Amino acid sequence: MQARHALAADAHQAAATRYAIGFGGQWRDLQEDTVDAFKERGYLPYKLKPAGYRLPIVNGCLLFVWRVPATPDAVGGFASSKTRMNGFFAQEPVGLFGTSFVEGGDDVRNASEQAEFERAVRAAGEVMSVVLVMVHSTPRQLTSIEWAVAEYVDGTVRPLGMETIWEHPAESGDATADVESFDSGTPIVPSLELQKQGRSLDA
């Protein structure tokens, strides 16, 4: 995510634009990066309709990486589009593990595959949980990354058990840990003293 953000920030600066529209589009790249990363680890993607966003299925959950806009109650309005709303009603595809059980075709390769398929069969008819990975950033820096299980109720999304999994040092306070706060009284200004300079007689 840091590498993707750095590329987007560089492009934003090079464009010398007054608008952050192009920068904000980085979340689609983040989604694709996430799909590729999990695909390398054996997790297949799920395509959300109608927009066709690809999201990885991880342990029966739909993983949605999202750059949070700087607007009040942004998370609550996450499911503002039909595509995002469909994520809360998505079912894990039974065909994820082939047609072995459904059509009597290929045999399962090992006990782990069978256990995964049985879990998928049990989950059939049930919707997948949606895990939101929320990226907070400005065109200048990536500020924090949080994750939570998202609950959809009456058109509003609520994050459950939200945790910060990464935070920029300046945001976490590490950079100001040694700075004494000033909230009352008179600030103590640094003492300044003029220094004598020798003057050459030839000047």
Side-chain angles (χ1 to χ4, degrees):
M1 287 188 183
Q2 290 174 320
R4 175 61 63 187
H5 182 275
L7 290 171
D10 289 345
H12 179 79
Q13 185 174 12
T17 177
R18 297 180 176 86
Y19 305 99
I21 299 174
F23 173 78
Q26 67 161 300
W27 66 273
R28 290 299 304 274
D29 287 314
L30 287 175
Q31 283 185 348
E32 292 297 326
D33 291 345
T34 305
V35 166
D36 292 341
F38 278 100
K39 197 171 181 179
E40 292 175 357
R41 293 164 174 79
Y43 297 95
L44 297 181
Y46 182 92
K47 183 174 285 188
L48 267 183
K49 297 179 179 179
Y53 300 161
R54 293 194 311 149
L55 306 175
I57 300 172
V58 183
N59 296 332
C61 298
L62 209 55
L63 191 63
F64 202 117
V65 177
W66 177 49
R67 180 177 179 268
V68 182
T71 56
D73 195 28
V75 177
F78 169 77
S80 58
S81 72
K82 188 173 182 180
T83 300
R84 291 182 182 179
M85 187 176 64
N86 283 342
F88 293 93
F89 302 97
Q91 297 178 340
E92 191 168 2
V94 176
L96 194 64
F97 302 96
T99 59
S100 305
F101 289 82
V102 178
E103 300 176 354
D106 301 334
D107 294 330
V108 293
R109 289 172 294 186
N110 51 53
S112 176
E113 187 178 72
Q114 179 170 344
E116 281 295 306
F117 183 80
E118 290 175 352
R119 183 186 58 75
V121 170
R122 287 195 301 272
E126 299 177 2
V127 297
M128 291 183 282
S129 297
V130 175
V131 174
L132 274 183
V133 178
M134 295 163 281
V135 180
H136 301 267
S137 65
T138 69
R140 293 184 178 177
Q141 70 178 34
L142 186 65
T143 54
S144 66
I145 302 172
E146 301 170 316
W147 78 277
V149 176
E151 183 183 53
Y152 179 77
V153 179
D154 296 331
T156 301
V157 174
R158 295 185 301 187
L160 305 177
M162 187 161 61
E163 291 184 355
T164 301
I165 55 178
W166 181 86
E167 192 169 23
H168 191 280
E171 300 296 326
S172 64
D174 292 348
T176 58
D178 298 328
V179 179
E180 185 177 356
S181 62
F182 171 75
D183 57 5
S184 62
T186 304
I188 301 174
V189 298
S191 59
L192 300 176
E193 184 178 354
L194 294 176
Q195 294 182 348
K196 295 181 180 178
Q197 294 182 339
R199 176 177 295 179
S200 172
L201 296 176
D202 297 334

